[in-house]
């Protein structure tokens, strides 16, 4: 009953909290299912939506062909998921960038080295940014990054 009262007064806050609960469940499920597999942690730096909008640092948790990632940059914070296929990856990126309320992107990346853990990556992110005035903009970003540390 109290939660309904709070959600009526602060509807956008409740919607964002519900979205975050969904993302927490997805991340927990992927981590739980992959807990028996060998995992690697990857640190990279770069430009683009996958790095928080502009210059940023990204932490990735790599298990077999799945990578969960979080990044913080000069203009925002993002989280994402990539499915790795040979020297490509397909993924999703979600976050707040460039003063937007929500940003959701589909991501495609090409890895120049034969390993995902080290080397250059070039990507394209296509999606939608929702502004605080409820205006939605479609955007595309190039991503360029370098993975330099893995353990």
């Amino acid at each position: 009953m109290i939660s309904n009262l709070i959600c009526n007064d602060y509807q956008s806050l409740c919607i964002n909290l519900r979205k975050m609960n969904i993302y927490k469940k997805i991340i927990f499920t992927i981590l739980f299912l992959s807990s028996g597999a060998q995992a690697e942690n990857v640190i990279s730096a770069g430009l683009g939506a996958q790095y928080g909008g502009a210059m940023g640092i990204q932490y990735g948790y790599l298990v077999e062909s799945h990578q969960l990632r979080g990044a913080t940059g000069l203009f925002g914070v993002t989280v994402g998921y990539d499915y790795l296929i040979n020297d490509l990856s397909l993924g999703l990126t979600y976050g707040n960038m460039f003063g937007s309320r929500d940003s959701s992107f589909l991501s495609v990346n090409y890895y120049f080295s034969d390993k995902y853990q080290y080397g250059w990556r070039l990507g394209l992110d296509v999606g939608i940014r929702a502004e605080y005035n409820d205006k939605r903009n479609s955007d595309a970003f190039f991503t360029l990054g370098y993975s330099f540390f893995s353990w």
Side-chain angles (χ1 to χ4, degrees):
M1 182 169 262
I2 293 174
S3 64
N4 289 338
L5 180 64
I6 293 171
C7 285
N8 288 336
D9 291 338
Y10 303 99
Q11 189 171 9
S12 64
L13 174 65
C14 289
I15 290 170
N16 287 337
L17 289 175
R18 287 184 189 125
K19 284 181 184 177
M20 292 195 62
N21 283 334
I22 290 170
Y23 287 113
K24 283 187 216 174
K25 290 176 185 175
I26 291 170
I27 290 171
F28 176 76
T29 302
I30 291 171
L31 292 176
F32 177 76
L33 292 175
S34 62
S35 61
Q38 184 174 349
E40 290 195 44
N41 299 289
V42 180
I43 302 291
S44 56
L47 307 165
Q50 296 174 36
Y51 293 93
M55 292 183 356
I57 298 291
Q58 181 186 92
Y59 165 77
Y61 182 76
L62 180 65
V63 179
E64 294 177 355
S65 297
H66 307 277
Q67 181 181 16
L68 296 173
R69 54 184 162 74
T72 183
L74 291 178
F75 298 108
V77 176
T78 60
V79 295
Y81 167 79
D82 290 315
Y83 181 72
L84 308 169
I85 309 165
N86 297 326
D87 54 357
L88 295 174
S89 72
L90 303 173
L92 302 168
T93 301
Y94 175 80
N96 296 329
M97 297 182 307
F98 302 113
S100 67
R101 186 182 63 203
D102 292 316
S103 300
S104 301
F105 296 96
L106 295 174
S107 307
V108 177
N109 294 303
Y110 174 75
Y111 295 85
F112 290 97
S113 63
D114 59 348
K115 292 182 122 185
Y116 302 115
Q117 296 91 340
Y118 298 103
W120 290 98
R121 166 172 65 180
L122 179 65
L124 176 65
D125 301 297
V126 178
I128 296 174
R129 284 189 306 130
E131 304 295 334
Y132 283 98
N133 60 6
D134 292 330
K135 183 180 175 186
R136 296 191 183 280
N137 297 321
S138 57
D139 280 325
F141 293 98
F142 282 106
T143 295
L144 178 64
Y146 185 79
S147 299
F148 57 87
F149 188 68
S150 175
W151 74 94

